[in-house]
Amino acid sequence: MSITALGVEVFVRDVGSGEPILLLHGNPDSADLWDGVIDRLQDQYRCIAIDLPGFARSKAPRNFDCSPENLARFVDEVVEGLGIHEPINLVGHDFGGVFAMAWAVMHPAKLRRIVVINHCAFVSGMKWHWRGRVWRTPVLGELSMLVIPWRAFRSSMREGSKKLTDEQIRHVYDMLSLQWKWMALRLYRAANPEDFEQWAPPMLEMTAKIPTLVLWGEHDPYLPGWTADHFNARKVVRFAESGHWLPAELPEETANELRSFFAAY
């Protein structure tokens, strides 16, 4: 199904019933990142996964505003468009964490719980990894996006998560598009470390009140491990044998941790 939010034609997977869970993927993924997690939770929860603006099946205008404030407005329109009128469980991975945290800071009353999975949104002192710095650099970023060979893409994904299969990586690769390329560049260029510093205090104030869980794949070459301890989380679970794409590598373990945390808090 699809809905419209801030001019974006948003692809939505909406299955199950019960407390709503909104799952937000990162770069370069799609809602499909959560398939294995959703399969294990839909018997108890209403599981909602979307393609972010410009990713996979979600069509976005070229001038889509990628500021944190507008990302929060986008998530709010998605929630309203889905007819959700109760507090939700919010799960953000990678860049989906920026969407998630921006909305959570601006709308804490609409949250039941929040889950962080390998993202650095609004963590003070965070610096971009080398690939992020390339994408944030005008011209150099565009040049890096011109041609993305399969072998190089597979190597990069496997570097981030060693247990990803060729089939999983190929599925992501086949969804890459020109629209994804320009949206990825826009998102990285709008995510300034200086802005993270400004958003860090209200983020920590929010997570001090909203039950927060951090799930962290430790073999992550993009984000330092200390990031996981900077969200005021009630619980931090580290996975020594997983990497950046934890929900794809260990869907059963991810689902079990979500179910356990939601039951406890």
Side-chain angles (χ1 to χ4, degrees):
M1 70 178 273
S2 65
I3 62 172
T4 300
L6 289 188
V8 179
E9 183 183 333
V10 185
F11 172 84
V12 180
R13 182 182 180 196
D14 187 348
V15 298
S17 61
E19 286 183 14
I21 307 173
L22 179 59
L23 302 124
L24 302 178
H25 70 82
N27 180 56
D29 297 297
S30 71
D32 300 350
L33 171 74
W34 305 104
D35 282 355
V37 176
I38 289 173
D39 289 346
R40 292 165 171 83
L41 293 179
Q42 62 180 319
D43 62 330
Q44 187 175 351
Y45 296 93
R46 178 184 176 188
C47 299
I48 304 160
I50 66 172
D51 287 350
L52 295 180
F55 285 71
R57 296 146 296 203
S58 287
K59 310 302 180 186
R62 287 294 295 265
N63 63 347
F64 184 81
D65 177 3
C66 293
S67 67
E69 292 84 357
N70 200 58
L71 302 187
R73 283 190 286 270
F74 169 77
V75 175
D76 203 50
E77 285 209 5
V78 168
V79 172
E80 291 295 320
L82 290 169
I84 301 174
H85 303 297
E86 63 179 291
I88 70 168
N89 300 302
L90 184 61
V91 184
H93 171 255
D94 187 78
F95 239 104
V98 183
F99 284 78
M101 279 300 184
W103 183 73
V105 168
M106 296 181 71
H107 300 281
K110 297 183 179 183
L111 273 176
R112 194 182 302 270
R113 310 172 189 90
I114 188 165
V115 182
V116 173
I117 304 180
N118 287 74
H119 77 68
C120 62
F122 308 150
V123 171
S124 181
M126 186 61 205
K127 296 182 180 180
W128 281 117
H129 50 82
W130 72 267
R131 189 171 281 108
R133 294 196 297 272
V134 168
W135 288 335
R136 285 175 52 80
T137 304
V139 180
L140 183 60
E142 281 77 3
L143 289 173
S144 74
M145 288 286 193
L146 282 177
V147 179
I148 305 176
W150 159 246
R151 289 183 181 276
F153 184 80
R154 179 177 60 181
S155 175
S156 175
M157 293 284 287
R158 192 67 54 66
E159 176 190 9
S161 280
K162 299 175 183 178
K163 293 182 180 179
L164 291 178
T165 66
D166 278 1
E167 181 181 6
Q168 287 174 309
I169 299 171
R170 173 62 74 173
H171 183 72
V172 176
Y173 184 77
D174 288 345
M175 285 194 171
L176 301 183
S177 65
L178 286 174
Q179 116 165 315
W180 162 74
K181 291 180 180 181
W182 58 254
M183 183 56 77
L185 294 178
R186 288 177 65 84
L187 282 170
Y188 272 93
R189 290 170 183 176
N192 299 309
E194 297 82 3
D195 293 338
F196 279 21
E197 296 289 340
Q198 296 176 12
W199 282 75
M203 183 271 285
L204 293 173
E205 182 179 346
M206 179 273 298
T207 55
K209 299 174 183 176
I210 304 296
T212 303
L213 168 67
V214 174
L215 303 180
W216 201 266
E218 295 207 290
H219 292 295
D220 188 331
Y222 311 117
L223 302 174
W226 61 261
T227 310
D229 297 317
H230 285 66
F231 290 99
N232 261 346
R234 306 282 178 93
K235 185 178 181 182
V236 177
V237 182
R238 297 178 181 272
F239 295 84
E241 300 304 317
S242 183
H244 184 73
W245 282 278
L246 175 65
E249 285 189 294
L250 300 176
E252 182 171 1
E253 291 84 345
T254 300
N256 287 343
E257 290 295 342
L258 294 180
R259 196 188 299 271
S260 174
F261 187 75
F262 294 167
Y265 294 96

